[in-house]
Amino acid sequence: MLNIILAESSLELIPEQLRSHPSVTSYCKKFKKTSSTTLLDNSWHFGAMKGLDNEIKRGRPDIIHLTLLSLCTTPAFYENKIKVFVHTINDEVLSFNNEARLPKSYHRFQGLIEKLFLTQKIETDDEILMELHSSSLSEIISKIRPTKIIGLTTKGKQTTLDKLIQQIPDNSCIIIGGFQKGHFNQDTEKIINESFSINDSSLEAHLVASRFVYEYEKTIFI
Ligand SMILES: C[S@@+](CC[C@H](N)C(=O)[O-])C[C@H]1O[C@@H](n2cnc3c(N)ncnc32)[C@H](O)[C@@H]1O
């Protein structure tokens, strides 16, 4: 079993200081939404986000949607061979039961995650499908207690995925950046035991996630 964490992910509700900006108020009016319970989205709230602290790592819930679909629609996920977590830029952690089935439509994903931010849980009659907690990356790592923490980044040691998979012990944790641009911050880098690059150039997080899981599946399923 492997743990996969999307770290410093671009996923958050619209911060209070942006809620009265015209790009936010007009969006909320148009879609009949409340700014305090709406996901920050760079494609709609770009004007409000100009100059926002750590701007390049914020307001891209679409990246998390695509990457979660790449992870949570795989045989490895259905068969409990991977555990998936999203650590956000604001130190919250979303965890996913392997019975959870995410909406393919972005619109429905947005509604689901907004509900999760509001209620902290998505559950059926008998089980919790998704949970959200306040947690730093190091706190979630202490709970998982992985054997090894591997970071995937263009700054890492060049390798191929098949070679990398061979050297990852069971119950390791794989960290992929859940953001569009930039690199892991110092807190994340301190946690990582070893970093690897799996391609000459930068790839999208969802592509890294799906390639990684496919390569892992080749080693666990005949
Ligand atoms: C869109 S990239 C972020 C851009 C960042 N400048 C980079 O190149 O790593 C999102 C995430 O995908 C992963 N990633 C992208 N390209 C990679 C590569 N060549 N090797 C390993 N991981 C990669 C990293 O985890 C990265 O944080």
Side-chain angles (χ1 to χ4, degrees):
M1 210 271 300
L2 293 180
N3 304 281
I4 301 182
I5 304 185
L6 300 184
E8 302 174 42
S9 298
S10 302
L11 191 70
E12 62 184 306
L13 296 177
I14 298 173
E16 199 169 348
Q17 77 268 29
L18 307 189
R19 289 182 199 154
S20 52
H21 188 279
S23 69
V24 171
T25 52
S26 62
Y27 170 85
C28 290
K29 194 172 167 201
K30 182 172 167 145
F31 294 100
K32 299 189 173 56
K33 291 176 80 80
T34 308
S35 58
S36 57
T37 55
T38 296
L39 290 181
L40 182 68
D41 189 330
N42 167 322
S43 46
W44 292 100
H45 315 131
F46 179 73
M49 287 180 63
K50 264 188 219 156
L52 184 66
D53 204 28
N54 219 351
E55 187 183 335
I56 58 166
K57 284 190 182 163
R58 299 177 71 176
R60 290 297 307 271
D62 56 317
I63 291 178
I64 310 312
H65 182 220
L66 283 176
T67 311
L68 281 175
L69 285 179
S70 299
L71 293 168
C72 302
T73 58
T74 57
F77 183 78
Y78 297 147
E79 303 269 332
N80 274 304
K81 301 293 186 191
I82 55 169
K83 280 298 300 167
V84 175
F85 302 89
V86 174
H87 161 258
T88 76
I89 192 74
N90 292 328
D91 275 344
E92 289 134 326
V93 169
L94 288 66
S95 47
F96 299 85
N97 182 324
N98 291 55
E99 297 298 318
R101 300 292 173 259
L102 293 167
K104 312 292 182 293
S105 132
Y106 175 72
H107 178 69
R108 289 190 51 222
F109 173 79
Q110 179 192 17
L112 182 74
I113 300 299
E114 286 170 348
K115 185 171 173 206
L116 182 60
F117 271 102
L118 204 64
T119 60
Q120 264 77 56
K121 262 184 209 162
I122 304 289
E123 53 193 334
T124 60
D125 287 345
D126 39 41
E127 62 189 335
I128 296 173
L129 296 175
M130 293 172 209
E131 272 186 289
L132 181 143
H133 294 286
S134 259
S135 168
S136 64
L137 187 59
S138 63
E139 284 165 336
I140 182 70
I141 294 278
S142 333
K143 278 193 194 146
I144 299 172
R145 297 164 57 90
T147 36
K148 193 168 181 186
I149 304 163
I150 308 282
L152 295 181
T153 161
T154 48
K155 285 178 161 182
K157 211 183 299 169
Q158 200 73 35
T159 188
T160 56
L161 267 174
D162 58 331
K163 280 189 197 145
L164 175 60
I165 295 288
Q166 298 305 328
Q167 52 178 289
I168 297 179
D170 193 39
N171 196 33
S172 286
C173 181
I174 314 304
I175 301 194
I176 299 172
F179 44 83
Q180 177 198 13
K181 284 187 197 149
H183 292 284
F184 293 134
N185 66 27
Q186 285 185 349
D187 289 346
T188 306
E189 277 185 357
K190 269 189 234 154
I191 289 169
I192 291 172
N193 299 134
E194 220 175 342
S195 293
F196 295 94
S197 172
I198 55 151
N199 196 62
D200 290 344
S201 55
S202 180
L203 302 171
E204 304 281 324
H206 69 91
L207 191 62
V208 173
S210 57
R211 286 187 181 183
F212 181 87
V213 173
Y214 179 53
E215 210 57 48
Y216 178 53
E217 284 175 344
K218 287 195 231 165
T219 68
I220 52 170
F221 299 130
I222 303 162

